[in-house]
Amino acid sequence: MIEVEVKARARADTLERILALGAILMGEENHRDLYFNSPFRDFRQSDEALRIRIKEEGARLTYKGPKMDAMTKSRLERTVQIDNPREMEQILTTLGFVLSAEVRKRRIKYSLGDVTLALDEVEGLGSFLEVEARGEADWEEQKEKVLSILRDLGLEESIRSSYLELLEEKRRE
Amino acid sequence: MIEVEVKARARADTLERILALGAILMGEENHRDLYFNSPFRDFRQSDEALRIRIKEEGARLTYKGPKMDAMTKSRLERTVQIDNPREMEQILTTLGFVLSAEVRKRRIKYSLGDVTLALDEVEGLGSFLEVEARGEADWEEQKEKVLSILRDLGLEESIRSSYLELLEEKRRE
């Protein structure tokens, strides 16, 4: 599946403007994300990601491929639900993968038609909005749609870095 | 978890002797096992295994470490249940793992106290019995227990090769 996604730093009026667009509150989640790097190829160079996401309702293993264009964070994404994140972590490290970072955030999700808006409070980074469309087809069309929602919210500056990358940048500073 | 396991080729009277020991029929499963090899280290050399097992009730990803002694097939085993084996296969191949073999079998399971007896009909190989005890402690004691059950069944010759290895041997012949 292709994940078409844009991200921007949230502003003081972002929540108000999301609701003004007619978006519907879907729920709140707490994410604990474990990122792994590969001993074959450095995922920071290859722009890939391997992640275990642990939330209240369960855990998932997700692989994300390199970004597909210069404007969005769109990328190939493959996900499986897993029953035991600790066991999955141990399988990955035994296979040679290295736990590289942990990202914690609180996410409040809204839906606007077939688009998901996620207002994220990321530990150590602050507030962000992610606008995401999912599906197999009409990739260009979905890309235009998520970028237009970002503009409607007055958030024109799109951040292509992942939270992982932003945390690494911050650590280096 | 440590899996203490022995295996032998089944004989014509094996089922009868299992029942004579007082073992209880637990059920029948059809397994489709996908084995992967690693690009870091050849699992045939390192005596490890990475497997997706697909059966009627669901799928699992399992890592098995090298065998721990010369008599049994005992080894460290780590398993997660997964909701989508096809997606898991694609994650593994994208990460560089290579699908090396597929093993199909019909397994009839019996329990004898805390020990599991599995009578396997393996496609291309024939009939085998696996006797398995699971647990964290008393490894030597459990090893003695499974070997003694094998003797009680008149199956003294223990096979340490996996079905995967037996299929590879057969292919080479």
Side-chain angles (χ1 to χ4, degrees), chain A residues 20-171:
Chain A
L21 284 183
I24 295 157
L25 176 65
M26 293 174 69
E28 185 181 322
E29 298 171 350
N30 287 287
H31 296 178
R32 186 178 153 231
D33 291 343
L34 305 178
Y35 286 91
F36 295 84
N37 207 339
S38 164
F40 303 111
R41 52 183 189 261
D42 187 345
F43 284 169
R44 284 168 301 186
Q45 302 299 321
S46 61
D47 189 25
E48 296 167 279
L50 182 65
R51 178 188 76 193
I52 296 175
R53 168 163 292 173
I54 303 158
K55 43 186 187 176
E56 293 86 342
E57 70 198 56
R60 287 185 300 173
L61 175 72
T62 297
Y63 166 83
K64 295 190 179 207
K67 285 183 271 295
M68 297 168 67
D69 68 8
M71 289 290 290
T72 70
K73 294 173 70 249
S74 311
R75 48 198 353 202
L76 175 73
E77 188 178 313
R78 299 210 177 278
T79 292
V80 285
Q81 283 186 34
I82 54 175
D83 70 327
N84 187 334
R86 180 78 188 122
E87 195 86 350
M88 189 73 240
E89 182 185 344
Q90 288 178 327
I91 291 175
L92 290 176
T93 51
T94 307
L95 291 173
F97 294 86
V98 178
L99 178 65
S100 53
E102 184 173 337
V103 179
R104 289 171 184 264
K105 65 175 174 291
R106 191 178 66 132
R107 167 167 286 181
I108 304 175
K109 282 165 95 171
Y110 300 88
S111 77
L112 186 64
D114 55 354
V115 172
T116 299
L117 286 76
L119 201 53
D120 289 340
E121 186 66 39
V122 186
E123 227 176 80
L125 283 180
S127 292
F128 296 83
L129 179 73
E130 288 196 345
V131 183
E132 186 181 311
R134 282 163 182 270
E136 299 291 344
D138 292 326
W139 182 60
E140 285 295 334
E141 197 180 297
Q142 292 193 308
K143 196 173 101 174
E144 198 30 61
K145 192 192 285 180
V146 298
L147 286 169
S148 121
I149 290 172
L150 210 61
R151 283 191 301 269
D152 290 348
L153 294 169
L155 302 170
E156 294 196 30
E157 197 188 339
S158 173
I159 298 171
R160 296 181 72 241
S161 303
S162 67
Y163 295 132
L164 176 61
E165 288 163 336
L166 293 174
L167 279 168
E168 279 167 357
E169 277 170 33
K170 201 182 163 190
R171 220 163 277 145

Side-chain angles (χ1 to χ4, degrees), chain B:
Chain B
M1 194 180 58
I2 308 296
E3 174 197 52
V4 180
E5 186 182 294
V6 291
K7 175 161 74 180
R9 208 166 254 285
R11 295 185 187 160
D13 66 347
T14 299
L15 173 55
E16 194 183 327
R17 293 179 75 157
I18 288 171
L19 298 173
L21 284 182
I24 295 156
L25 177 66
M26 292 174 70
E28 186 182 319
E29 299 172 349
N30 286 287
H31 295 179
R32 189 179 150 230
D33 291 343
L34 305 178
Y35 286 91
F36 295 84
N37 207 340
S38 164
F40 303 112
R41 52 185 188 261
D42 187 343
F43 285 168
R44 284 168 300 186
Q45 301 297 321
S46 61
D47 189 27
E48 297 168 281
L50 182 65
R51 178 189 74 193
I52 297 175
R53 168 163 292 174
I54 304 158
K55 44 186 187 176
E56 293 86 344
E57 69 197 56
R60 288 185 298 174
L61 175 72
T62 297
Y63 166 82
K64 295 190 178 205
K67 284 182 272 294
M68 296 168 66
D69 69 7
M71 288 290 290
T72 71
K73 294 173 69 248
S74 311
R75 48 197 354 199
L76 176 73
E77 188 178 314
R78 300 210 178 279
T79 293
V80 287
Q81 282 186 33
I82 54 176
D83 70 328
N84 188 333
R86 180 76 188 124
E87 196 86 351
M88 188 74 239
E89 184 185 342
Q90 288 178 329
I91 290 175
L92 290 176
T93 51
T94 306
L95 291 173
F97 294 86
V98 177
L99 178 65
S100 53
E102 184 173 337
V103 180
R104 291 172 182 263
K105 65 174 175 288
R106 191 178 66 133
R107 166 167 287 182
I108 304 174
K109 282 166 94 172
Y110 300 86
S111 76
L112 186 64
D114 55 354
V115 173
T116 299
L117 286 77
L119 202 52
D120 290 341
E121 186 66 40
V122 185
E123 228 176 79
L125 282 180
S127 292
F128 295 83
L129 180 73
E130 287 196 347
V131 183
E132 187 183 310
R134 282 163 183 270
E136 300 290 344
D138 292 326
W139 182 61
E140 285 294 334
E141 196 181 298
Q142 291 193 309
K143 195 172 102 176
E144 199 31 60
K145 193 193 282 182
V146 298
L147 286 170
S148 120
I149 291 172
L150 211 61
R151 284 192 298 269
D152 289 347
L153 293 169
L155 302 170
E156 295 196 28
E157 197 188 338
S158 173
I159 299 171
R160 295 181 72 239
S161 304
S162 66
Y163 295 134
L164 177 60
E165 289 163 334
L166 293 175
L167 279 168
E168 280 167 356
E169 275 171 35
K170 200 183 163 189
R171 221 165 276 143
R172 278 196 299 274
E173 277 164 16

